[in-house]
Amino acid sequence: KMSLRLPNVYHISAFSWYAYVVKSLADRGGQELPPGIFVYGGPWKYLTFLNLLLQMFFFGLAAVNDLQPHPESALNRCKDFLFSVFVFPVGMFVVLLFWTIFAYDRELVYPATIDAFFPPWINHAMHTFVFPVLFGEILMQPHTYPRTKHALVALTVVGVCYLSWIIWVFLSTGIWVYPLLGLFSTSGLVGFFILNMSVVILFYVMGEKLNLLVWSKRLTTSKVRS
């Protein structure tokens, strides 16, 4: 007889929440938004939106994985890799970077004109609630982390791909995805992107340390048994 455990409920709830947020954003896609917001590439050029899809996909995958009878399945390894290398570091990065820039000058990342189209709850759903949901996942169950060099390679490849996409949008439209980027010189942009990648890597390390801190006893027992 199958019964839902707390992690199952958590994963289904988180997936449903993100699906609702994504649908709410999609429903506003037909509105007359401020100029330039969805030009060329639509929402797909914004890291915030891509992160929402990433979070939704992960929790959907985790909910399916909860139904697996074997904890060491390929699906479980895929879920752990996705969370440790991308979901936690990128999610935390989006929260930190957005609110840091917002506190300095919101016009550089989330112009006030957007408030008329996206209510405050959507802003917090995209840029605030990601934080507690990620920490909740760490508390729900342990995650097996890959070798650090493999994680760094994966993060670098994805980071370069997103950077290339941003540059392509700029070269095609003459508009930076985020107004902040227009304030930098070429060398400044390079330094800014290197700084961002360093922060993402730090969040990866932080996620691994937190996972070990919360689950060290269980993880050690598992290794001894194996």
Side-chain angles (χ1 to χ4, degrees):
K1 183 179 179 180
M2 184 180 299
S3 60
L4 289 177
R5 296 177 296 112
L6 183 57
N8 306 121
V9 175
Y10 188 80
H11 293 150
I12 293 171
S13 300
F15 170 76
S16 301
W17 163 249
Y18 281 119
Y20 175 71
V21 174
V22 170
K23 182 181 182 302
S24 298
L25 287 172
D27 290 343
R28 285 168 170 75
Q31 296 181 8
E32 188 176 344
L33 298 173
I37 288 188
F38 282 167
V39 67
Y40 198 92
W44 298 92
K45 60 181 177 289
Y46 295 106
L47 185 60
T48 291
F49 181 73
L50 296 176
N51 178 60
L52 281 178
L53 295 181
L54 174 65
Q55 303 293 326
M56 182 180 71
F57 177 79
F58 166 75
F59 283 105
L61 184 68
V64 172
N65 180 70
D66 290 334
L67 304 177
Q68 294 287 324
H70 304 294
E72 298 303 321
S73 66
L75 184 61
N76 187 67
R77 291 194 295 272
C78 178
K79 179 210 67 170
D80 282 351
F81 184 86
L82 189 64
F83 178 79
S84 60
V85 179
F86 299 117
V87 174
F88 185 84
V90 174
M92 292 297 294
F93 174 75
V94 166
V95 173
L96 175 69
L97 186 65
F98 175 83
W99 287 113
T100 299
I101 299 175
F102 190 96
Y104 174 72
D105 183 357
R106 67 168 298 175
E107 295 300 316
L108 297 176
V109 67
Y110 198 83
T113 52
I114 296 181
D115 289 342
F117 301 89
F118 299 118
W121 77 264
I122 287 187
N123 181 20
H124 286 291
M126 296 187 295
H127 302 116
T128 306
F129 296 148
V130 174
F131 176 82
V133 173
L134 286 173
F135 271 90
E137 173 61 19
I138 286 182
L139 297 175
M140 280 298 111
Q141 56 185 203
H143 299 85
T144 301
Y145 274 64
R147 292 184 179 180
T148 302
K149 64 179 181 180
H150 294 163
L152 295 184
V153 168
L155 273 172
T156 301
V157 169
V158 171
V160 169
C161 287
Y162 181 66
L163 172 59
S164 301
W165 171 227
I166 287 178
I167 293 175
W168 176 261
V169 171
F170 173 71
L171 294 177
S172 301
T173 65
I175 300 173
W176 283 108
V177 172
Y178 302 103
L180 172 69
L181 301 179
L183 302 180
F184 292 103
S185 62
T186 301
S187 58
L189 280 173
V190 172
F192 183 67
F193 285 125
I194 291 176
L195 174 63
N196 287 343
M197 280 304 302
S198 300
V199 172
V200 173
I201 291 172
L202 284 176
F203 276 129
Y204 166 79
V205 174
M206 186 178 85
E208 185 176 24
K209 299 298 183 185
L210 285 173
N211 181 67
L212 188 60
L213 179 66
V214 174
W215 299 99
S216 57
K217 192 170 182 180
R218 178 168 172 177
L219 292 172
T220 302
T221 303
S222 268
K223 286 183 180 179
V224 170
R225 288 178 179 173
S226 60

